[in-house]
Structure formats: C-alpha cells, structure tokens
Amino acid sequence: MIGIMDETDCKLLNLIQHDAALSLDELSERAGLSRNACWRRIKRLEDDGIIKGRVTLLDASRINVGLTAFIALRTTEHSATWLAQFSNAVRDIPEIIGVYRMTGDVDYLLQAVIPDVAAYDRLYQRLIGRITLADVSSSFVMQEIKATTVLPLDYAPERRG
C-alpha cells in the first residue's frame, strides 16, 4: 500500500533527502512543527516504508572508485532458477552498485564503480565465472552530468485535510 502524505510530510522528506544528518530540532524548526510532532511523522514515514533508510554519500573519486561502468547483459535463459542464480552472483560483488531488469534489447543493466579498466576486467572475469551470459557490453562514464538520490515528491499520493 502506498503511504498517503500531506504537504508537511513532503516537506520533511525533501529536507531529509537533501541532508539526512539534520537533527530532529533542525527538522522540526524548518518544517514548522513541534519536536514531538516531527518525530511522530518521521516515525510514521519509516513505519510505512516510505523512508527506507538513511545513508551517507561518499565521493567515489576520493576512495579510488571514480570510474563508473554501465554493463548491459543479455541472456538466453529466462527461468526463475537462472534469475535466482544471477541475483546471488551479483549481490555480493561490492563494485556492482545497481542491478536492473530491463525491457528491450538488454535483459539486465548493471552499474559498477571501479578504479580503472584493469579493475573492470577483473570484475568482468568474476561475473562471467559465476553466471552464464549470452552477451556482455559495457560503457564507461566520461562525464557525470547529473546524479542524485533525491526523488521527486510531486507524484506522492496526498492526504486531504
């Protein structure tokens, strides 16, 4: 079930999407709520599964994983067994930070961060050693123009007063 939110909920979500380190006092002040009312709303948004977690974003280049690769995979097998095997194969590879099942010509799209092409080749070898694939095609990011974790809230179901 999709959680129903009002304008204040959306304001709180927008604030914490931009800075999850804001204290409860700062959040309540910026949202125009008492500390307790703010806490209750945040707790409800967590309980409803709207807030899935709070993270710290790192600078990839400063921790030597500044090269991003998008890896397009095609498979000849589309069974539940293969999908479970594939999910297990990619789940514990830390360089792979996103895995998506796609429509169109590509079956799966992976996003990986690595220090360089040699590290990519090692990642590729690990991947094909774990799962049978029909085709692997990779593209490397030359310039990041936009990358955000902030989700748009304009489409959130609204609670009417």
Side-chain angles (χ1 to χ4, degrees), residues 38-54:
C38 184
W39 181 86
R40 282 191 303 272
R41 282 178 180 262
I42 295 290
K43 178 78 171 107
R44 180 181 47 80
L45 292 166
E46 288 172 338
D47 291 346
D48 288 351
I50 293 166
I51 297 174
K52 294 182 358 177
R54 299 177 200 191

Side-chain angles (χ1 to χ4, degrees), residues 2-161:
I2 297 175
I4 305 298
M5 299 178 294
D6 64 13
E7 187 176 323
T8 304
D9 292 331
C10 289
K11 188 177 210 177
L12 284 169
L13 290 172
N14 196 41
L15 287 166
I16 63 175
Q17 281 195 102
H18 285 91
D19 187 355
L22 288 172
S23 70
L24 189 56
D25 290 331
E26 290 171 309
L27 277 174
S28 59
E29 182 180 320
R30 292 184 191 186
L33 295 170
S34 72
R35 190 176 199 281
N36 287 340
C38 184
W39 181 86
R40 282 191 303 272
R41 282 178 180 262
I42 295 290
K43 178 78 171 107
R44 180 181 47 80
L45 292 166
E46 288 172 338
D47 291 346
D48 288 351
I50 293 166
I51 297 174
K52 294 182 358 177
R54 299 177 200 191
V55 299
T56 298
L57 302 176
L58 306 179
D59 184 326
S61 63
R62 290 185 175 259
I63 58 169
N64 198 33
V65 288
L67 180 60
T68 299
F70 286 95
I71 307 164
L73 306 177
R74 288 188 314 130
T75 181
T76 55
E77 190 171 337
H78 297 278
S79 69
T81 301
W82 185 92
L83 180 55
Q85 183 184 3
F86 172 72
S87 295
N88 289 332
V90 298
R91 188 166 285 126
D92 68 345
I93 299 175
E95 296 90 343
I96 298 174
I97 62 170
V99 178
Y100 310 94
R101 190 164 58 94
M102 307 295 289
T103 62
D105 294 337
V106 171
D107 294 315
Y108 298 89
L109 184 65
L110 282 56
Q111 182 180 4
V113 292
I114 56 278
D116 52 35
V117 175
Y120 167 77
D121 187 51
R122 290 188 300 274
L123 169 65
Y124 169 82
Q125 295 298 330
R126 271 189 288 162
L127 185 62
I128 65 169
R130 293 179 179 198
I131 191 81
T132 302
L133 298 165
D135 185 55
V136 178
S137 175
S138 297
S139 298
F140 298 96
V141 173
M142 294 178 60
Q143 179 185 17
E144 185 177 279
I145 296 169
K146 180 180 180 180
T148 184
T149 61
V150 176
L151 299 178
L153 297 171
D154 296 341
Y155 304 96
E158 293 183 36
R159 177 175 35 178
R160 303 287 183 224

